Amino acid sequence: MSIDEGYGPTWDSDDEYDNFIRKMNPPSIIIDNDSLVDATIVKVGSANEYGILLEVIQVLMDLNLVISKAYITSDGGWFMDVFNVTDKEGMKLKDKAAIAEIEGYIRKSLGADSRYMPAKRRSVGVAASTDHNVIELTGSDRPGLLSEVSAVLASLKCNVVSAEIWTHNTRVAAVMRVTDEDTMLAVTDTVRLEMIKERLSYLLRGNNLSRGAAMAEASGTSATNTERRLHQMMLSDGDTEEFHGHVPAQPQRPNVTVRNWKDKDYSVVTIRCKDRPKLLFDTVCTLTDLRYVVYHANIDASNNQAYQEFYVRHVNGSPMNTEAERLRVIQCLESAIERRVSEVTIHELIKGNFARIIFL
């Protein structure tokens, strides 16, 4: 911070200003375990800023909490989110020590020094940490692709530490963490990294030359949530575009509608679909990455069905003004809901020589 004569303090960056605002307005966390028989109420209030709702939902997701209901309001400079949560078995929280830990974790995660600060939410760049490389892949999906990618990396003496892979609408996106086979550290040889990029990009292109493929080496220290990054990659890759080939039929497609509430200058986004874990994260993540701000929301998940209603405006303050914009939001939300149907997570515990693969 510096002082300009006659004008008071000026800030060297938006990040420093955001840090100041958070320190002056620390989050308010209230956990009520008495009001409801079947759920624990988590109330979170803090200074309002773009993307804060997604941060709160991500923290609850990190804690393996299931959100059954939520009421969200963020008009003005302060937001208040109320969540009814349970554990994965659908039970309210009972352990007082665990509840205290949850409160502390949320407070720390949303505070001024948290990993969710805007400066740390930027997309990853071209770099590497000392312990692993992060490889991001997008391309055409096909049977056996995962085996082929693994074989290429093995031939280049790379060890896959972990990988998360999504497929949707004939496209695939993956975030893989790899190390050098011999040193178990990040690959630093630029020639070798270019060879990895060239061979994997060729492999992912497949027979669909018109769509192409992409690979990027990203920073191993980035705090961008892997699942959010996969949403961003698939959105950028165009998996929302209509495909006229063979796509497996969806047993129950999401019902997404958008209408404008002209009296209040809001666009109202309504989602009805089958409930599943992390659904709220996926929809709020998509709205955030499409540059919409959620001012109010009502969330209800019961009897295996989900109802979500969002009152949104674009970051420029306007509702959706064109039919094309409305249709794009609907299309992107439908894709975000469907992507996680095809999800692969791989973790390899190097010291124990053990691999764990989860197919969803």
Side-chain angles (χ1 to χ4, degrees):
M1 185 177 69
S2 61
I3 302 295
D4 288 348
E5 185 178 357
Y7 293 95
T10 61
W11 298 89
D12 297 330
S13 69
D14 290 339
D15 297 338
E16 190 174 354
Y17 177 75
D18 289 334
N19 191 13
F20 172 77
I21 291 298
R22 288 202 179 196
K23 285 184 176 180
M24 293 299 99
N25 299 276
S28 167
I29 315 296
I30 299 173
I31 298 182
D32 177 1
N33 210 29
D34 300 322
S35 297
L36 298 177
V37 176
D38 56 352
T40 300
I41 301 175
V42 178
K43 299 179 182 179
V44 182
S46 181
N48 196 18
E49 64 175 274
Y50 172 68
I52 190 70
L53 173 61
L54 179 60
E55 295 176 7
V56 175
I57 294 171
Q58 184 176 319
V59 169
L60 296 177
M61 187 179 71
D62 290 346
L63 291 166
N64 294 318
L65 298 176
V66 177
I67 300 171
S68 57
K69 291 181 184 291
Y71 309 93
I72 292 152
T73 181
S74 62
D75 271 337
W78 188 265
F79 80 88
M80 175 57 71
D81 300 339
V82 180
F83 301 94
N84 292 3
V85 303
T86 65
D87 60 20
K88 284 192 170 183
E89 284 70 44
M91 306 296 292
K92 67 183 297 184
L93 309 180
K94 295 180 179 179
D95 189 323
K96 292 184 178 180
I99 292 172
E101 287 183 10
I102 289 172
E103 180 181 350
Y105 181 81
I106 296 173
R107 192 179 305 279
K108 183 178 180 181
S109 297
L110 298 178
D113 299 323
S114 78
R115 64 189 174 101
Y116 295 106
M117 281 195 65
K120 302 177 183 179
R121 288 200 301 268
R122 296 182 183 129
S123 298
V124 291
V126 179
S129 71
T130 57
D131 57 348
H132 65 266
N133 305 87
V134 179
I135 297 177
E136 299 177 346
L137 307 169
T138 54
S140 299
D141 186 30
R142 66 177 184 276
L145 179 61
L146 177 58
S147 297
E148 294 176 28
V149 169
S150 299
V152 166
L153 290 171
S155 70
L156 294 169
K157 297 188 179 300
C158 291
N159 181 67
V160 179
V161 179
S162 67
E164 190 153 348
I165 303 157
W166 287 3
T167 64
H168 178 248
N169 203 8
T170 78
R171 306 301 291 172
V172 60
V175 175
M176 309 181 76
R177 289 167 176 80
V178 304
T179 60
D180 178 83
E181 188 178 83
D182 297 325
T183 66
M184 295 301 179
L185 298 173
V187 178
T188 56
D189 184 350
T190 56
V191 175
R192 186 174 169 197
L193 289 171
E194 282 300 313
M195 186 181 300
I196 294 170
K197 182 175 182 178
E198 179 181 343
R199 291 186 61 179
L200 288 179
S201 295
Y202 177 80
L203 187 66
L204 284 157
R205 187 167 65 243
N207 296 323
N208 193 346
L209 299 180
S210 63
R211 293 295 293 275
M215 192 206 102
E217 189 215 347
S219 169
T221 59
S222 170
T224 302
N225 175 270
T226 299
E227 293 168 324
R228 182 178 184 185
R229 186 67 189 132
L230 285 164
H231 276 303
Q232 293 172 337
M233 291 163 61
M234 296 209 84
L235 182 64
S236 176
D237 188 52
D239 78 314
T240 61
E241 297 174 9
E242 184 177 357
F243 177 70
H244 297 286
H246 174 69
V247 178
Q250 296 291 335
Q252 183 181 349
R253 296 223 51 198
N255 181 356
V256 182
T257 62
V258 176
R259 60 183 175 85
N260 277 0
W261 185 10
K262 295 183 179 179
D263 291 343
K264 297 292 185 179
D265 282 336
Y266 289 127
S267 290
V268 184
V269 179
T270 304
I271 300 170
R272 292 180 174 86
C273 65
K274 183 178 179 181
D275 190 32
R276 61 161 174 77
K278 302 182 181 180
L279 176 65
L280 183 58
F281 172 84
D282 294 336
T283 54
V284 173
C285 179
T286 300
L287 289 170
T288 303
D289 286 334
L290 289 173
R291 306 290 290 170
Y292 291 97
V293 177
V294 177
Y295 286 87
H296 303 279
N298 181 24
I299 311 300
D300 189 6
S302 57
N303 299 321
N304 206 31
Q305 295 295 311
Y307 174 81
Q308 300 181 0
E309 185 178 60
F310 301 98
Y311 293 78
V312 305
R313 295 184 187 131
H314 195 266
V315 289
N316 63 14
S318 68
M320 298 177 205
N321 292 317
T322 66
E323 182 67 8
E325 184 181 7
R326 187 184 71 84
L327 291 176
R328 173 161 172 75
V329 169
I330 291 174
Q331 197 174 41
C332 290
L333 284 169
E334 288 175 344
S335 295
I337 293 167
E338 292 172 346
R339 283 177 195 137
R340 206 182 285 272
V341 174
S342 301
E343 178 183 3
V344 179
T345 303
I346 300 172
H347 294 284
E348 180 174 352
L349 304 180
I350 300 172
K351 292 182 180 179
N353 195 27
F354 171 79
R356 177 166 66 94
I357 304 178
I358 302 173
F359 296 90
L360 298 175

